[in-house]
Structure formats: structure tokens, C-alpha cells
Amino acid sequence: MTAVPAATALPRVASEAALAVPGVAALDPRLTRRLAAAAAPARPDATPRRVPPEAAVRADRAPDGTGWHIEVRCVLSGRRRALDVARDAHDRVAAAAVAHLTMLGAVEPVTVEVVVTGVVARWPDAA
């Protein structure tokens, strides 16, 4: 099995971890990703383009080159305190990223920033 480079897989790992946190309703892609998706040529089947959840995650090497900085942009459901959800998302994303890097044999420090971009009072898919 071939290992996927950390830079490619970290956004997916982080988005899956964040979406698993109770109270995270969705991930909010950055404006640049939205504009890029909107500017892409139309597909022949004319179905709307779905922006993948990892578009809301930015994983970059730390400025000093020792480790990773991950930013996750979340929309919360409003069922739990925003602070508690953000803290849980932070912890879960950090643990998932460290586990992923360890699996690749690249044990490095990871910092995580959770940005709450909105809170919806009632999320449509919530039961």
C-alpha cells in the first residue's frame, strides 16, 4: 500500500474528524475555494458542483518548517455551546492529524485552529 503524502491527506483527515464532532453541522469552505468552484467550466450534465468538506480545511507547514498548522472552518448546529464544540473539534482534529502523521512515520508537532464561521439555530438534516 502506498502512503498518501501528508499535505494531500491532512485536509481530508481533519475534515472527517471535525464532522464527527457533535454540534458541527458543516464545514465552511474558504471564499477562494468557492470562487474557484464557481469559475470552473460547467459540466455537461449540469448538476451543481459540490464543494468537498476538505475545502474548509487548510493544512500548511509551520512557518519554521517544524510541523503542521491546520485551520478548520466550522458551522455549528447551535445545540451545544460553541466553545465546547470548538474545543472538541480542536482536540479531535489534533488527535486525528497526529495519528495520521504517525502512521506515515512523520511524527511532527501539529497546531490546530478552529474558526467558527456561523451557528445555525436548526440544521435541516438534524433529527
Side-chain angles (χ1 to χ4, degrees):
M1 176 181 246
T2 307
V4 177
T8 304
L10 271 176
R12 179 187 50 77
V13 169
S15 66
E16 289 171 358
L19 286 169
V21 174
V24 173
L27 299 183
D28 187 16
R30 298 171 53 94
L31 181 59
T32 54
R33 299 275 178 111
R34 287 187 198 163
L35 292 174
R43 295 187 298 189
D45 62 5
T47 56
R49 291 184 187 267
R50 184 180 164 282
V51 178
E54 51 269 14
V57 176
R58 185 170 152 189
D60 296 316
R61 296 292 293 167
D64 63 1
T66 60
W68 291 90
H69 177 76
I70 300 172
E71 176 188 286
V72 183
R73 301 172 55 82
C74 300
V75 176
L76 308 184
S77 68
R79 293 182 174 192
R80 296 177 55 211
R81 284 186 342 148
L83 176 62
D84 295 336
V85 176
R87 187 178 294 139
D88 290 350
H90 172 276
D91 295 348
R92 193 169 292 193
V93 168
V98 167
H100 177 73
L101 290 170
T102 301
M103 181 185 70
L104 294 176
V107 180
E108 297 181 284
V110 174
T111 60
V112 176
E113 179 180 359
V114 175
V115 178
V116 176
T117 61
V119 178
V120 291
R122 183 174 197 114
W123 193 250
D125 295 340

